[in-house]
Amino acid sequence: MKMKHPQKAKRANEYISLHAARNLHHGSRVCEIIGTDLSRWRQPKANISTGIALNVFVTINYSLSESGIDNFDKLRNERFCRWLRTRSEKIGRKIIPSYKYVREGLHVHWVVHIPEELYEEFCDLVPRWVTSLDDKAKLQRKSSKNHHQSPKGCVDIQKVRSSLAVRRYMLKGINPEHAGRFGIRNPEPQGVVYGRRSGVSRSLCQSARKKMGYKPFPVPSKRGNGKVIGIASSNYDGFHPPSAP
């Protein structure tokens, strides 16, 4: 029987906080947009861009891993960032880790920038990184590429088709009282998480955005009659989303 690791020493939380939601929202807005014409939704485009796109969406279901333990922090820092640094040197490009993530129970949703020439290698390595961290606990040390892949269904990797859709999907676990601020119509609890529930890379955090000169704007909302009213307006009376294009 698999033993789950609740990490009860860390603080439990049920929702994405307002501060965390702002980081997730604005952290992705400074990236290049994929597959979405934001003007159709009457949403202002970011006043500055990092010049990269969060183009790969990864879901890791740790309940299906061999250990049942969430090792995402180690996977991100000890596997992904080191791999990206090494591969950047070999292909002669400086690639700074850029990503955001959300935990939902033992699920982790991770949207990340991966150069096209490294995409296939990344897809092969992520399931092996999951297994390598499980094996590390057993003192089995070897190169990640020599580890077997994680069990079927544990890792799912897709290319991002719509930046806006991914942004809203990752915010569905927000505290309901703040949902309207970010255009989330039906927020739902996504399980209890111990410790940090979400985060963004240093390249997309608040201090990095400030250095870029990025200026956040409130998310506009549309009422049933089609009139757009800003969240900050005194006339705002809740979120009424537009019809899907």
Side-chain angles (χ1 to χ4, degrees):
M1 182 177 178
K2 295 181 180 179
M3 297 297 293
K4 297 182 179 179
H5 186 53
Q7 299 180 338
K8 291 187 176 181
K10 298 181 180 180
R11 185 176 179 179
N13 58 85
E14 297 182 12
Y15 298 107
I16 298 172
S17 68
L18 178 57
H19 174 74
R22 284 172 175 158
N23 254 344
L24 292 171
H25 174 80
H26 295 294
S28 61
R29 286 199 72 242
V30 298
C31 296
E32 291 182 352
I33 302 302
I34 301 174
T36 305
D37 181 4
L38 291 184
S39 63
R40 290 185 298 175
W41 298 74
R42 298 190 185 182
Q43 297 197 47
K45 294 183 178 180
N47 60 301
I48 196 166
S49 172
T50 59
I52 59 95
L54 299 180
N55 59 340
V56 178
F57 187 81
V58 182
T59 296
I60 305 176
N61 185 352
Y62 280 102
S63 66
L64 298 177
S65 68
E66 294 180 355
S67 66
I69 296 175
D70 180 344
N71 285 317
F72 178 68
D73 291 341
K74 291 182 178 179
L75 183 148
R76 192 179 68 248
N77 297 322
E78 298 178 10
R79 298 294 188 269
F80 167 69
C81 289
R82 290 181 182 178
W83 167 78
L84 189 62
R85 182 169 58 248
T86 300
R87 298 300 286 129
S88 296
E89 294 173 355
K90 290 185 178 180
I91 65 177
R93 291 174 56 191
K94 184 178 181 180
I95 307 170
I96 300 174
S98 299
Y99 57 81
K100 63 178 184 176
Y101 68 89
V102 172
R103 285 185 168 93
E104 298 177 354
L106 280 175
H107 280 75
V108 178
H109 296 304
W110 180 31
V111 59
V112 57
H113 171 69
I114 300 295
E116 189 63 35
E117 60 266 43
L118 299 180
Y119 177 71
E120 290 187 5
E121 182 179 349
F122 176 79
C123 290
D124 178 69
L125 282 174
V126 174
R128 300 182 192 277
W129 288 337
V130 172
T131 303
S132 71
L133 289 167
D134 285 341
D135 290 344
K136 183 178 180 181
K138 305 173 187 176
L139 302 179
Q140 297 181 16
R141 297 180 180 273
K142 51 187 176 182
S143 175
S144 293
K145 65 181 180 181
N146 294 325
H147 286 269
H148 62 278
Q149 294 203 356
S150 56
K152 185 177 180 180
C154 181
V155 177
D156 180 70
I157 304 176
Q158 303 178 36
K159 289 190 176 181
V160 172
R161 297 182 180 179
S162 168
S163 299
L164 179 60
V166 169
R167 188 197 312 165
R168 289 183 170 175
Y169 181 78
M170 295 186 76
L171 284 170
K172 66 182 184 294
I174 190 173
N175 190 321
E177 66 181 88
H178 304 307
R181 293 172 179 258
F182 302 95
I184 308 302
R185 182 179 182 183
N186 296 309
E188 297 179 356
Q190 299 298 320
V192 175
V193 169
Y194 294 87
R196 178 166 291 185
R197 190 177 196 94
S198 65
V200 300
S201 59
R202 291 182 180 179
S203 60
L204 304 177
C205 70
Q206 184 176 8
S207 60
R209 299 193 301 269
K210 186 176 180 179
K211 289 179 181 178
M212 295 178 204
Y214 170 79
K215 296 179 181 179
F217 294 97
V219 182
S221 180
K222 181 178 287 188
R223 300 175 66 180
N225 59 8
K227 183 178 180 181
V228 175
I229 298 179
I231 296 293
S233 170
S234 60
N235 294 323
Y236 175 70
D237 63 352
F239 177 62
H240 302 272
S243 301

